Amino acid sequence: MRSTIELECGREGENNPLRRWNVHRLYRQWRNSQIMDHHIGLELEKRYQEYLQHEQTSKTRGKSIMDIVIAEYMKNRPASQTQISTLDPEFKSWAIIQIRLFLFVGHDSTAVTIIYCLYLLSKYPDTLGKIRQEHEQIFGPDTTTVATQIREHPEKINQLSYTTAVIKEALRLFPPANGIRWGRPGISLTDTHSTDGRTFPVDDCAVWIVHTAIQRNPGYWPHAHEFVPDRWLVEPGHELYPPTGGWRPFERGARDCVGQNMAMLAIKITLAMLVREFDFDSQYEEWDRENPAAGAVRTMFGERAYMVAKGAAHPAQGYPCKVRLAV
Ligand code: HEM
C-alpha cells in the first residue's frame, strides 16, 4: 500500500504529468493491487471460517472491520447459504475494495496528526508543560502505568480536555485530508465576510474544499496562523471562539469521515503514552545544511514542517527529528 501511495504521489516537489502514463508505474500499481487483494482475501476467508465456528460455539465475535463486514453479510445471506464453506466471490471482491479503502483512509492521516502534535508541542514548551500537567493529573506521576490505566479505565480518555484542544488545533493548522463535493444547480457559495458581494454558482462543478485555506482564513479565525489550543476551551462569545463550520478536518455532513472518533481516540491515547516520556526535536536545520540544492524557499505560513501531498498530506521531508527520553 505504501508503495502504491508513493507511486501515486511522486517525489516531493515533483510535478511531472508524464509519470502517470509511465508503463513501469502502471505495472507496479497493478501488481501491488494483486498483492493487496490476495492478502486481504486470505484474511477475509480466515475470518469467515472463524465466524462459522463461533456461530456454532456461540463465542463472542471480533469487532474488527472484517468481522463487522462478515457479520452484516451473513445477516443478509439467504438461510440456505449460511453454512457454505467459502465466501461468495462477488461479495468477496466487493468487501476487498471496501477494506482497501478503510486501510488507505485510516492509515496515515492519524499518524500525520500525531506527528504534527509532537512537532507543535516541541515548538511551544508552555503548551508541552500544560499537556504534561494534564496527563499527570489524570494518570498520576508514574508514566509506565498509563497503558494499563487506559485499558482498565478507558473513560479517563474523556477527561483529556487540554489534549483534545491541542489535537483540534493541530488539525486546524495541518489538516491531512480535504473534501470534494459535486455542485448542484441553484446552489451558490458566498463569502459572508467579504464586502464585494460576489457569489460563486457551483452547478456542474467539482467543489474542492481546501481545509488549509478555510481553517487558516484570517477573516474567520483570530490569530489564524498561530497555534492557540485555548481557542477550543473558551465559551461562546469569546473572541477566540471557533466559527461555525470553520473546523472541518474530517469534513462535515452525510459523507463525513466515519473514522473520526476512532482517530481522535487513537491520537489521544498515543499522546498520553508519549509526551511525558519523550522529547522531540526537529532537525530541519541539519537537513537544510545537508541539502543546499533544495532551494531557498523552505517555509509555508512560516512553518518549516509545511504539508506535502503523500497520500494524506505529510510534513515536508517526513519531519526529520531527534527523540530523547524526557528528563
Ligand atoms: C486524523 C485522521 C483522519 C482524518 C483527518 C480524516 C479525514 C477524512 C476526510 C476529510 C474524509 C472525507 C469526508 C468527506 O468528503 O466528507 C474522510 C473520509 C473517510 N474516512 Fe477519514 N480521516 C481520518 C481517519 C480515519 C480513520 C482512522 C478511518 C477508519 C479506520 C477513516 C475512515 C474514513 C472513510 C471510510 C472515509 C470515506 C467516507 C465516505 O466516503 O462515506 N478515517 N476522512
Side-chain angles (χ1 to χ4, degrees), residues 19 57 137 145 169 296:
R19 275 188 71 256
T57 58
Q137 239 167 32
T145 65
E169 187 66 347

PDB file of all heavy atoms in Angstrom, residues 19 57 137 145 169 296:
ATOM      1  N   ARG A  19       4.522  11.098 -15.672  1.00  0.00           N
ATOM      2  CA  ARG A  19       4.662   9.970 -14.733  1.00  0.00           C
ATOM      3  C   ARG A  19       3.447   9.068 -14.751  1.00  0.00           C
ATOM      4  O   ARG A  19       3.518   7.878 -14.606  1.00  0.00           O
ATOM      5  CB  ARG A  19       4.815  10.517 -13.301  1.00  0.00           C
ATOM      6  CG  ARG A  19       6.202  10.878 -12.913  1.00  0.00           C
ATOM      7  CD  ARG A  19       6.233  11.209 -11.444  1.00  0.00           C
ATOM      8  NE  ARG A  19       6.057  10.014 -10.640  1.00  0.00           N
ATOM      9  CZ  ARG A  19       4.938   9.693 -10.010  1.00  0.00           C
ATOM     10  NH1 ARG A  19       3.889  10.462 -10.073  1.00  0.00           N
ATOM     11  NH2 ARG A  19       4.864   8.598  -9.307  1.00  0.00           N
ATOM     12  N   THR A  57     -20.185 -22.377  18.198  1.00  0.00           N
ATOM     13  CA  THR A  57     -19.841 -22.479  19.626  1.00  0.00           C
ATOM     14  C   THR A  57     -20.366 -21.261  20.400  1.00  0.00           C
ATOM     15  O   THR A  57     -20.119 -21.138  21.585  1.00  0.00           O
ATOM     16  CB  THR A  57     -18.317 -22.550  19.803  1.00  0.00           C
ATOM     17  OG1 THR A  57     -17.777 -21.377  19.194  1.00  0.00           O
ATOM     18  CG2 THR A  57     -17.718 -23.783  19.177  1.00  0.00           C
ATOM     19  N   GLN A 137      -2.114  14.826  36.126  1.00  0.00           N
ATOM     20  CA  GLN A 137      -3.320  14.942  36.958  1.00  0.00           C
ATOM     21  C   GLN A 137      -4.225  13.714  36.777  1.00  0.00           C
ATOM     22  O   GLN A 137      -4.765  13.181  37.727  1.00  0.00           O
ATOM     23  CB  GLN A 137      -4.120  16.143  36.475  1.00  0.00           C
ATOM     24  CG  GLN A 137      -4.346  17.192  37.510  1.00  0.00           C
ATOM     25  CD  GLN A 137      -4.859  18.449  36.825  1.00  0.00           C
ATOM     26  OE1 GLN A 137      -5.551  18.383  35.807  1.00  0.00           O
ATOM     27  NE2 GLN A 137      -4.509  19.592  37.375  1.00  0.00           N
ATOM     28  N   THR A 145       2.418   3.316  33.948  1.00  0.00           N
ATOM     29  CA  THR A 145       1.111   2.681  34.228  1.00  0.00           C
ATOM     30  C   THR A 145       0.009   3.178  33.285  1.00  0.00           C
ATOM     31  O   THR A 145      -1.132   2.744  33.383  1.00  0.00           O
ATOM     32  CB  THR A 145       0.657   2.965  35.670  1.00  0.00           C
ATOM     33  OG1 THR A 145       0.431   4.384  35.789  1.00  0.00           O
ATOM     34  CG2 THR A 145       1.672   2.525  36.705  1.00  0.00           C
ATOM     35  N   GLU A 169      -6.400  21.828  17.479  1.00  0.00           N
ATOM     36  CA  GLU A 169      -5.648  22.967  16.922  1.00  0.00           C
ATOM     37  C   GLU A 169      -4.607  22.478  15.916  1.00  0.00           C
ATOM     38  O   GLU A 169      -4.386  23.126  14.890  1.00  0.00           O
ATOM     39  CB  GLU A 169      -5.011  23.761  18.080  1.00  0.00           C
ATOM     40  CG  GLU A 169      -4.337  25.047  17.703  1.00  0.00           C
ATOM     41  CD  GLU A 169      -5.278  26.148  17.173  1.00  0.00           C
ATOM     42  OE1 GLU A 169      -6.434  25.885  16.848  1.00  0.00           O
ATOM     43  OE2 GLU A 169      -4.788  27.286  17.057  1.00  0.00           O
ATOM     44  N   ALA A 296      15.816  27.934  -1.931  1.00  0.00           N
ATOM     45  CA  ALA A 296      15.845  28.896  -0.827  1.00  0.00           C
ATOM     46  C   ALA A 296      14.514  28.961  -0.082  1.00  0.00           C
ATOM     47  O   ALA A 296      14.474  29.236   1.110  1.00  0.00           O
ATOM     48  CB  ALA A 296      16.197  30.275  -1.379  1.00  0.00           C
TER      49      ALA A 296
END
